[in-house]
Amino acid sequence: AQSVTQPDIHITVSEGASLELRCNYSYGATPYLFWYVQSPGQGLQLLLKYFSGDTLVQGIKGFEAEFKRSQSSFNLRKPSVHWSDAAEYFCAVGANFGNEKLTFGTGTRLTIIP
Amino acid sequence: SQTIHQWPATLVQPVGSPLSLECTVEGTSNPNLYWYRQAAGRGLQLLFYSVGIGQISSEVPQNLSASRPQDRQFILSSKKLLLSDSGFYLCAWGVNYGYTFGSGTRLTVV
């Protein structure tokens, strides 16, 4: 069965600083990988996804993520954060067949300080 | 365009009362539909998914149930709520793994 680990429960960064959120997955084959963002009290919005091909994936809002098979990682990055990026971020993994179920990590809460 | 509606936004229910949460999708046909629960301080837990009318798969044994009476309608129910059913419930539909989530229902069981 697939699983996702987000080791950082809460991260605080200054506005304008760079950001990296960690995600490690466990899956027996090449996974489908995703990052979602959730604003307080809201549903989730897809930031980016990786299916195959180029291991560096560009997403919305200036985010990118890099798939590293050797490290079983799919870390999310942004070169310069904005106050509006404060939210909870979820990494997810899906099997590359079947009913498209996603397994989510426990999330990382991002706080931005001025 | 595709949209997903979920209601109510918030709900406070006493222990032992029934529950019905509804989710409808517009602008697509035969979507895969999902119910997730997000407990405080935890990630999203898949509760049920459906690949078609009347087809429900349960991921976690519990006192909740789901039904899909129409192609674009997905209902989460319980006959008797427990305190542990409190949480944030999210409905989603997916095509090619692109999930669109509803805005969620905050359920508090008291």
Side-chain angles (χ1 to χ4, degrees):
Chain A
Q2 62 242 36
S3 66
V4 177
T5 301
Q6 292 181 249
D8 302 307
I9 297 173
H10 185 202
I11 284 183
T12 300
V13 299
S14 299
E15 190 169 14
S18 63
L19 171 71
E20 182 168 26
L21 302 182
R22 296 184 291 166
C23 172
N24 293 97
Y25 68 89
S26 174
Y27 183 62
T30 300
Y32 290 169
L33 295 163
F34 308 81
W35 275 100
Y36 284 83
V37 60
Q38 183 182 32
S39 298
Q42 300 297 313
L44 279 73
Q45 181 184 22
L46 179 67
L47 285 176
L48 48 79
K49 59 186 176 184
Y50 171 79
F51 285 176
S52 64
D54 192 348
T55 56
L56 184 62
V57 181
Q58 301 298 320
I60 62 171
K61 304 185 180 186
F63 285 93
E64 66 178 26
E66 186 171 11
F67 170 57
K68 293 186 177 180
R69 183 189 303 275
S70 61
Q71 298 176 21
S72 297
S73 69
F74 189 57
N75 294 349
L76 182 71
R77 301 193 294 249
K78 187 169 184 178
S80 176
V81 298
H82 185 262
W83 64 267
S84 60
D85 294 323
E88 186 134 22
Y89 291 81
F90 292 92
C91 182
V93 62
N96 55 12
F97 63 93
N99 49 39
E100 302 183 5
K101 295 186 295 181
L102 291 182
T103 299
F104 286 83
T106 51
T108 297
R109 184 161 60 92
L110 175 64
T111 297
I112 308 295
I113 55 177
Chain B
S1 63
Q2 301 91 354
T3 56
I4 181 168
H5 302 282
Q6 190 178 343
W7 66 91
T10 59
L11 194 58
V12 180
Q13 292 285 93
V15 170
S17 63
L19 173 73
S20 180
L21 301 181
E22 188 164 344
C23 171
T24 59
V25 180
E26 296 179 356
T28 185
S29 59
N30 198 31
N32 291 343
L33 296 173
Y34 308 86
W35 278 111
Y36 282 85
R37 177 170 61 199
Q38 185 177 22
R42 301 181 62 182
L44 283 78
Q45 180 185 39
L46 179 62
L47 301 176
F48 301 95
Y49 70 91
S50 171
V51 298
I53 295 174
Q55 301 179 60
I56 307 296
S57 295
S58 174
E59 290 293 299
V60 181
Q62 60 217 325
N63 70 321
L64 299 172
S65 62
S67 62
R68 185 170 177 175
Q70 300 180 42
D71 181 44
R72 288 170 281 182
Q73 184 184 29
F74 203 24
I75 298 172
L76 182 70
S77 304
S78 174
K79 293 182 179 178
K80 291 184 178 181
L81 284 168
L82 306 173
L83 286 174
S84 58
D85 292 324
S86 292
F88 191 51
Y89 289 81
L90 289 160
C91 178
W93 73 273
V95 175
N96 293 331
Y97 287 92
Y99 275 29
T100 299
F101 283 85
S103 53
T105 295
R106 172 76 57 193
L107 172 66
T108 304
V109 182
V110 297

